[in-house]
Each structure stands twice: as structure tokens, then as C-alpha cells.
């Protein structure tokens, strides 16, 4: 138990500690081996740029071993002259941001003679040695501490754990460094053992108690190592992958999320004797893959209504013309039962309109509704009422609703209906057709008509920006309206902005939208239990972001993710089903089968 608590505490405080890190905490190790020595590290404004140096024939050569020495690779040409040039350009600032810089020179040859030559050479660059934002730190083969006073004040030293220093000597120590392999056999994978973790924490505490910074060499160059060292409050993280580590540190604010608002989930209560549903509720989490779902589960402390649904399957989302689908082709597959090209809205590969599920069900006296927590003319909701060869044709898409039999439309996008470039006001036409139209979502509960369109952009901002209970209110109003008739119904409701968070590579955005969508799922499950002739299907059109989870805590509700893309992926997406006929959705199948299974159940096939 003690081991678990200690390791948990390290990970729990990761976010707070990581907020303190920047590229100033990066130690660019073996910098001279990069494709752009000095410049790659400098462009990322790393805190430490390290180079190995050999003294040969009174010249300082940069190399890892004596056999690798090239006559054109000198300390002066690769580091001192470029740094001096930058200082002139920036009028004395080490970096454009005015951050400090440490140039660490690791001596590989004789300590005394090499350092004397380094000192002589540095004296020819007074702009470097006199700069308050730059420190020269000597590592590797260093003179004995008692000899440090023989060197100019602009020379500092890399300390060691096993060395004792007088107060004057300690003042010349810029940092304390140690070989991590001397402390632990940990290979950068998994977690440190309890004993090794405590040993390292004790070392760090001692060094920080001396008001010195600490770094370890011989560390692995991977994300798990970076995170572990940051959790331990190591001051300088060594790397040969400067750009990658810089990006990792800079992205932490968007890839880590600590949840503070937890919701109670709904547990199913019905066994469902009937195998044929009367009503269909299709909930689509745009961009919602299994990782997005599990991120929400983690952030809600191990609870999701979605995970309480007993029947699951997998949907293959490939489009006709692409391995990776977009929302247009993905939603079209579910709305029509046909694969099509990306960007096509419920038309086939040649642009011919496909009959929609809403159109077919209307012929069977179904009431139908389309709800989205985004713009109602966006690809996913549009595929259930429009026919267009291009998803960006938002005004023609809106116009297509006039010919669709759906009874209810709720989302954003009032401009596409009222403030159009062609001058048409579709709201007037809709009113003439018997709809109530409003661009004020707050008026939703006042609507008495059983046919209405509610569109307001301000109501479909992100959860973070105040959307509130838009989805649950829209769903409750719709089911309440439909329940007043004897007609069966079909509802498609979209959690649109899980996808937005994936495109932005923002874990907080993804998680908060996922949890909001789960509240809708819980409400829909409760409705199914009270109305057992209803089938609930929850799925996604595709996964967005290539999200993976690299850390998290179910106990505390935080999650740390990593994205592989800012676009969609080809990963199959989960399908959850609850209600009569739910077992038909078990298995692995094409996304078109969701349509096929719904229609087969309704037709009694």
C-alpha cells in the first residue's frame, strides 16, 4: 500500500509541477551530434547546451571520443562564435525571450591544461563572459575544487553528489549532476520501485537543500522518463531530442486535465422481453473513440453511464474513397446505409441523392428529430436531412431541410437559415410549413407546437465556454414532445465537440465534452427504462486526434494524453446498444450496418 501511495502522489502532482517547466529546464545533451549543433538547442531556448571538448595541439575540438575529432569542429566555430553573433543581434540578451543560458563544456582531455585553454579562448569573447544571462559551466574532467580559485569568476563548475565543498567552492557550483544508473537500474519504462523512488527523492531533497539545481545523466530519452523526472522535481531534463521535449513541455497545458466536476452515472434497470423496438434513439459522439471514452471514465473517477450499457460492438468507418472517413461520409453511412466519398452529404459516389433514414421512417409515420451541440448544417447532422456533394455548402444544406420531413431541429446555425447570402429567410418558410422557429434557445420550454426549429449559435459554444445542459434539455424537450403522440419516433443527437477537442489536441476540451455527452447518454438510458419499447444506440462517426493516454488517476480524476494527429484516424469506433434488439449490435461490422440493423429491427426482419 505504501508503494502505491508514494507513486500515486508523484503522478498526482505532475500537473502542478509540470506547469513550472519550460524549455529552460531542458539540458541539450550531446548537442554537437545534432544536425544543427548549437542552433537546434538555441532555437528552442534550452536552459543548458552541452558540448564535449578535447584539447589537441592547443586547439579545442568538439567530439564525443578522440577518434571522432574533425578539424573543422572546434569549440570556437561551433559554439562561441555563433553565441557571440546572437548576443550582438539581440543587443546582449541570451535569448529573444531574455531567458538565461548555460553553456556546459564537458572536458574529455586533461582537466587543467584544457580548462586553461578554454579560459584563454573565452577571454576573447568578453560579450559572453560578461553577460549576466550566460554562465559557463565546466563538467567532465574538472580540476580539483581546491584549484577552482585559480580560474576567472566567469567559470562555474558542475558539482557531484560525492564531493564535499567549502562555502566558497559551493558558490562556484552551478548544479549537481549524477549518473542515474549509479542509483537505479530503472530503464525508463514503467515506474520506479519504491526503494529507488525514495532514494532519488532523498538525493533531490539534499541538493535542493543546498540551494542548488540537480540533473541526472544516463537517462532514457522518452516521454515516460521526462514525466518521471518532472514528477521528482529534477531541475534539468537531459535529452538528445530537444525539439520533441520542447514540444512535450509546451503541450502539457493542453494534454493534461484535472477534473473538478463529477457526475453520477445511470445504471440500467431493464431486461427487455421484446426483441423489436418501436422508437430509436441514435446518439453520435463526433470524434469519440475508445480512448476519448476512457479519458472521460478516468476523469469521472471510474464512472460512465456509457460503460454501464451491456451490449457493445465495433464499427469500421472507412469511406468509399479513403481509408480514413470524415464526418460527412461517416454520418451518411449511418443515415443511408451506403458508403460514400468524403465530403459528400447523403449522396452516392456519383452525387446522386440517397434516401435518408428520416425520409423512410416518415413514411412509416415516425416522428423524427435532429439535435446537435454544434452547427446544425455541419456534416453529421446534415447527413440526416440534406443531399449535397460538398459538406461546406452550408446554405444549400440548410435549404434542404425544407424538403425533409423531420419534426424537430435543434442546434446552432441560425445565420444559414435567416441571414443568407441569397437573401432568403428560411425561418419564414418553415413557419408557413407549420413549424415554430426561434433563434433563442432559452425559449425552448415555452414552445407548444410539436414541430419546431431552435437554432442559436451562442447556445452551442463549448462546455468550457458555457454551453451548459444544452444536450440534455434538447433531448428532454424532444422526448416530451414525441411522447404526447402515439407515433413511434427516431432521434439523432450529436455530441459534436468531442471532435473539436481532438482537432485542437486539447485533452480538457475532449474530456469535458465527453462527460457532457455521457450525461445525455444517462438521460437516454433512463428514458429507455421508462419506455422499454425504445432502443438506444450510442456510437461515433470516427475517432479524432489519435489520442493515447500516457498517465492518469481514476482515484483523483485526472488524465494525461498524447495526440498523434490533429485530424481523424481509421480506428474502428465502439457501438453501444441498450433496449429491445440491442444484442444485434454486438460484433464487428461496417458503419453502414448500423442503418441496416435499425431498419431490419423496425421492419421485423
Amino acid at each position: 500500500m505504501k508503494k502505491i501511495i508514494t507513486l500515486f502522489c508523484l503522478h498526482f502532482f505532475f500537473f502542478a509541477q509540470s506547469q513550472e517547466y519550460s524549455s529552460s529546464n531542458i539540458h541539450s545533451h550531446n548537442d554537437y551530434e545534432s544536425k544543427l549543433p548549437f542552433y537546434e538547442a538555441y532555437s528552442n531556448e534550452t536552459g543548458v547546451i552541452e558540448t564535449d571538448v578535447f584539447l589537441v595541439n592547443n586547439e579545442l575540438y568538439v567530439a564525443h571520443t578522440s577518434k571522432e575529432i574533425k578539424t573543422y569542429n572546434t569549440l570556437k566555430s561551433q559554439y562561441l562564435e555563433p553565441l557571440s553573433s546572437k548576443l550582438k543581434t539581440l543587443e546582449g540578451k541570451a535569448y529573444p525571450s531574455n531567458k538565461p543560458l548555460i553553456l556546459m563544456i564537458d572536458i574529455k582531455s586533461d582537466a587543467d591544461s584544457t580548462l586553461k585553454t578554454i579560459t584563454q579562448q573565452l577571454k576573447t569573447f568578453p560579450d559572453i563572459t560578461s553577460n549576466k544571462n550566460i554562465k559557463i559551466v565546466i563538467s567532465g574532467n574538472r580540476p580539483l575544487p581546491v584549484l577552482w580559485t585559480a580560474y576567472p569568476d566567469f567559470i562555474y563548475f558542475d558539482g557531484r553528489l560525492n564531493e564535499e565543498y567549502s562555502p566558497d567552492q559551493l558558490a562556484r557550483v552551478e548544479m549537481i549532476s549524477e549518473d542515474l544508473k549509479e542509483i537505479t537500474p530503472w530503464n525508463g519504462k514503467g515506474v520506479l520501485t519504491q526503494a529507488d523512488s525514495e532514494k532519488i527523492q532523498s538525493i533531490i531533497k539534499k541538493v535542493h537543500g543546498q540551494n542548488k539545481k540537480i540533473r541526472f545523466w544516463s537517462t532514457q530519452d522518452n516521454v515516460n522518463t521526462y514525466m518521471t523526472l518532472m514528477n521528482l522535481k529534477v531541475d534539468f531534463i537531459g535529452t538528445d531530442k530537444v525539439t520533441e521535449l520542447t514540444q512535450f513541455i509546451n503541450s502539457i497545458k493542453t494534454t493534461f486535465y484535472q477534473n473538478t466536476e463529477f457526475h453520477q452515472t445511470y445504471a440500467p434497470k431493464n431486461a427487455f422481453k421484446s426483441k423489436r423496438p418501436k422508437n430509436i434513439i441514435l446518439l453520435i459522439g463526433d470524434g469519440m473513440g475508445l480512448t476519448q471514452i476512457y479519458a472521460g471514465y478516468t476523469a469521472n473517477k471510474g464512472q460512465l453511464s456509457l460503460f454501464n450499457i451491456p451490449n457493445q460492438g465495433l464499427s469500421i468507418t472507412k469511406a468509399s474513397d479513403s481509408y480514413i472517413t470524415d464526418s460527412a461520409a461517416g454520418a451518411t453511412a449511418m443515415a443511408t446505409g451506403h458508403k460514400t466519398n468524403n465530403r459528400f452529404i447523403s449522396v452516392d459516389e456519383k452525387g446522386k441523392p440517397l434516401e435518408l433514414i428520416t425520409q423512410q421512417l416518415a413514411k412509416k409515420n415516425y416522428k423524427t428529430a435532429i439535435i446537435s451541440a454544434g452547427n446544425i448544417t455541419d456534416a453529421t447532422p446534415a447527413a440526416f436531412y440534406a443531399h449535397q456533394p460538398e459538406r461546406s455548402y452550408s446554405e444549400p444544406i440548410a435549404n434542404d431541410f425544407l424538403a425533409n420531413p423531420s419534426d424537430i431541429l435543434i442546434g446552432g446555425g441560425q445565420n444559414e437559415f435567416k441571414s443568407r447570402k441569397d437573401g432568403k429567410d428560411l425561418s419564414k418558410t418553415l413557419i408557413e410549413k407549420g413549424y415554430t422557429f426561434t433563434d433563442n434557445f432559452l425559449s425552448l420550454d415555452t414552445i407548444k407546437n410539436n414541430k419546431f426549429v431552435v437554432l442559436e449559435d451562442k447556445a452551442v459554444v463549448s462546455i468550457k465556454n458555457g454551453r451548459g445542459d444544452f444536450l440534455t434539455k434538447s433531448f428532454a424537450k424532444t422526448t416530451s414532445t414525441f411522447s404526447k403522440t402515439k407515433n413511434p419516433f427516431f432521434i439523432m443527437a450529436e455530441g459534436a465537440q468531442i471532435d473539436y477537442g481532438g482537432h485542437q489536441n486539447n485533452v480538457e476540451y475532449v474530456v469535458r465534452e465527453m462527460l457532457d455527452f455521457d450525461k445525455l447518454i444517462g438521460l437516454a438510458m433512463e428514458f429507455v427504462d421508462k419506455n422499454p419499447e425504445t432502443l438506444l444506440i450510442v456510437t461515433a462517426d470516427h475517432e479524432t486526434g489519435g489520442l493515447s493516454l500516457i498517465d492518469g488517476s481514476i482515484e483523483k480524476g485526472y488524465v494525461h494524453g498524447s495526440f498523434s494527429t490533429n485530424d481523424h484516424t481509421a480506428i474502428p469506433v465502439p457501438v453501444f446498444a441498450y433496449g429491445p434488439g440491442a444484442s444485434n449490435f454486438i460484433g464487428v461490422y461496417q458503419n453502414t450496418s448500423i442503418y441496416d440493423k435499425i431498419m431490419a429491427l423496425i421492419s421485423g426482419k
Side-chain angles (χ1 to χ4, degrees), residues 366-377:
Y366 270 71
K367 297 293 184 180
T368 59
I370 301 164
I371 303 167
S372 177
N375 191 307
I376 207 68
T377 65

Side-chain angles (χ1 to χ4, degrees), residues 390-499:
E390 168 55 49
R391 59 181 291 175
S392 66
Y393 293 169
S394 56
E395 289 192 0
I397 285 171
N399 193 72
D400 280 353
F401 185 74
L402 299 179
N404 187 271
S406 291
D407 301 272
I408 295 174
L409 191 68
I410 309 175
Q414 73 260 32
N415 289 339
E416 285 80 355
F417 282 75
K418 293 186 65 178
S419 302
R420 297 164 56 91
K421 295 176 183 177
D422 61 11
K424 293 181 181 179
D425 186 345
L426 303 188
S427 68
K428 293 180 179 179
T429 307
L430 287 167
I431 292 170
E432 291 172 358
K433 289 171 67 69
Y435 288 87
T436 295
F437 184 97
T438 178
D439 56 8
N440 181 3
F441 181 73
L442 294 178
S443 66
L444 179 70
D445 290 335
T446 66
I447 296 173
K448 304 298 182 182
N449 194 355
N450 60 3
K451 294 181 67 175
F452 56 85
V453 174
V454 180
L455 303 175
E456 184 189 359
D457 289 341
K458 291 181 180 178
V460 292
V461 296
S462 67
I463 282 293
K464 183 177 181 180
N465 290 335
R467 186 172 73 243
D469 51 2
F470 172 90
L471 277 173
T472 53
K473 276 189 174 180
S474 298
F475 179 81
K477 175 65 175 180
T478 300
T479 52
S480 174
T481 300
F482 286 165
S483 296
K484 294 173 183 177
T485 73
K486 294 182 180 181
N487 301 68
F489 66 75
F490 170 84
I491 299 172
M492 191 293 292
E494 180 201 22
Q497 299 197 40
I498 301 169
D499 174 70

Side-chain angles (χ1 to χ4, degrees), residues 83 136 196 278 350 389 404 410 420 436 469 524 564 572 574 605:
L83 178 56
I136 307 298
D196 286 352
K278 173 185 174 184
K350 295 181 180 180
N404 187 271
I410 309 175
R420 297 164 56 91
T436 295
D469 51 2
S564 63
K605 296 179 181 180

